[in-house]
Amino acid sequence: MPFFDDSLLDDRDALAAADPMLRRLAQAGARIRTEAEQATDALAAVSELSRPRAVIVAGAEARLVRALLEPTCPVPFLAWPRHGLPGWVGALDLVVVLATDGADADLIATAHQARRRGSQLIIACPQPSAIADEVGGRDTIMIPTRTGDVLAAAVVMLAALHRMQLGPQVDPESVAAAFDRVAEDCSPFLDVSENPAKDIALGLAEAQPLVWGGSVLAGRASRRVAEALRAASGRIALAADSSELLAVLGGVAPKDLFDDPFEDPQPEERRPALVILDDGTGDQLTLRAQYALRDVAERADIRVCPVTFGSGGDLDRYAGLLQTGLYAAVYLALGLRRTVWQDDPL
């Protein structure tokens, strides 16, 4: 069972081994700026499109687009995860395809159906790519992507949908700046007393992570952070609603004061630690749920690791919460002497 070595969080050799992932996280803002610069002409073109009867989004981060648009979108909105399109989609509707790998067979089929039915079609993809070659045309608006970052492409697509008056304002530069702030705050060159991500990693060192986000976007971030923590630690990490987490926390016995703090617990004996993602947008029900979680955790002597990012727009706050959690996952893997995963966490 790996023992968490907190000295590795400031060890130059250990940090050098994790440099590829830390560097990728640090460059998230730059990737958004790159994609936004590539999309200047496409963003101008979407402003000329008429309002559709409905919006259907397919591909990576479709659910993030839904989370941001659903509260304010003036027309029906659907995040579509399957091959093809629903039968009712036609010429009055807008189909949005996020295809940053450019060659997904299901997304190509979805785009083909949209074009056959005469739907408005916007595709974010590399150029050239299989989907651009097969589905591109005069009536298709292409948002060129270059970095392969699915979240960066989604940010630009959300900015395009705002120009069509289908969603809230999204400023790619502001989102990029939010990523940059987290990169500065969570820099590997800052020790644990100044680095919130290293502090979270310490809090999760020997724990079973439970992750909660109160708002719709914080909840979305909680699922992504839980995925990263699972990959980083090899442990179960659960992201869930407050009612489900209260049931888990309520079944934890208070900590035994005579437990040996240096004894490595077995997986079934790991105590949970609660990670709370707070974007500062919660209503009274959300705040009440957070207080309930904190109260149960305190009574059972369960560590609470708060992550707060309350400045900027909704997507800026989502970016701040997500990125802090991803940095924490890297530092957790580092302290456990596990290989830092190389798949794109975004």
Side-chain angles (χ1 to χ4, degrees), residues 17-176:
D19 184 69
M21 181 56 95
L22 291 170
R23 187 180 299 273
R24 177 159 181 79
L25 292 176
Q27 292 172 345
R31 291 194 296 275
I32 290 175
R33 293 185 181 95
T34 296
E35 301 294 32
E37 289 171 3
Q38 295 279 307
T40 302
D41 292 341
L43 290 175
V46 298
S47 303
E48 306 300 322
L49 296 178
S50 58
R51 176 178 291 184
R53 176 183 62 179
V55 180
I56 302 90
V57 179
E61 293 294 1
R63 290 176 180 172
L64 171 61
V65 177
R66 178 181 67 187
L68 195 68
L69 257 67
E70 264 187 338
T72 58
C73 186
V75 301
F77 180 93
L78 179 65
W80 186 249
R82 303 180 184 88
H83 176 97
L85 287 169
W88 53 264
V89 175
L92 299 178
D93 304 307
L94 169 65
V95 176
V96 173
V97 178
L98 295 162
T100 51
D101 66 357
D104 184 280
D106 286 343
L107 294 180
I108 291 174
T110 297
H112 268 303
Q113 283 197 19
R115 194 171 66 173
R116 273 201 313 272
R117 298 182 193 184
S119 304
Q120 295 178 357
L121 182 59
I122 305 175
I123 304 176
C125 66
Q127 294 185 354
S129 63
I131 193 168
D133 294 343
E134 294 194 28
V135 193
R138 185 177 56 188
D139 298 327
T140 300
I141 293 180
M142 291 289 185
I143 296 181
T145 64
R146 196 170 77 182
T147 66
D149 187 328
V150 295
L151 181 53
V155 170
V156 176
M157 185 64 77
L158 284 163
L161 294 172
H162 167 69
R163 293 201 176 197
M164 296 181 66
Q165 300 182 357
L166 296 172
Q169 181 172 2
V170 171
D171 178 8
E173 175 55 37
S174 180
V175 181

Side-chain angles (χ1 to χ4, degrees), residues 207-219:
Q208 205 76 43
L210 303 176
V211 191
W212 178 79
S215 70
V216 172
L217 283 170

Side-chain angles (χ1 to χ4, degrees), residues 212-226:
W212 178 79
S215 70
V216 172
L217 283 170
R220 174 69 183 163
S222 74
R223 291 186 287 276
R224 302 306 301 272
V225 170

Side-chain angles (χ1 to χ4, degrees), residues 291-336:
Y291 295 149
L293 287 167
R294 287 178 175 273
D295 181 59
V296 172
E298 182 179 356
R299 283 191 273 112
D301 196 20
I302 293 170
R303 184 188 295 270
V304 176
C305 303
V307 181
T308 304
F309 198 96
S311 61
D314 289 344
L315 198 57
D316 304 356
R317 299 176 188 210
Y318 169 84
L321 296 178
L322 173 64
Q323 197 76 339
T324 303
L326 295 180
Y327 268 103
V330 173
Y331 293 131
L332 179 61
L334 195 64
L336 292 172

Side-chain angles (χ1 to χ4, degrees), residues 266-289:
Q266 297 301 311
E268 63 272 13
E269 298 172 342
R270 289 193 190 280
R271 292 180 62 78
L274 178 63
V275 180
I276 292 180
L277 305 183
D278 184 0
D279 61 5
T281 62
D283 55 19
Q284 288 300 315
L285 288 176
T286 302
L287 293 174
R288 199 172 302 144

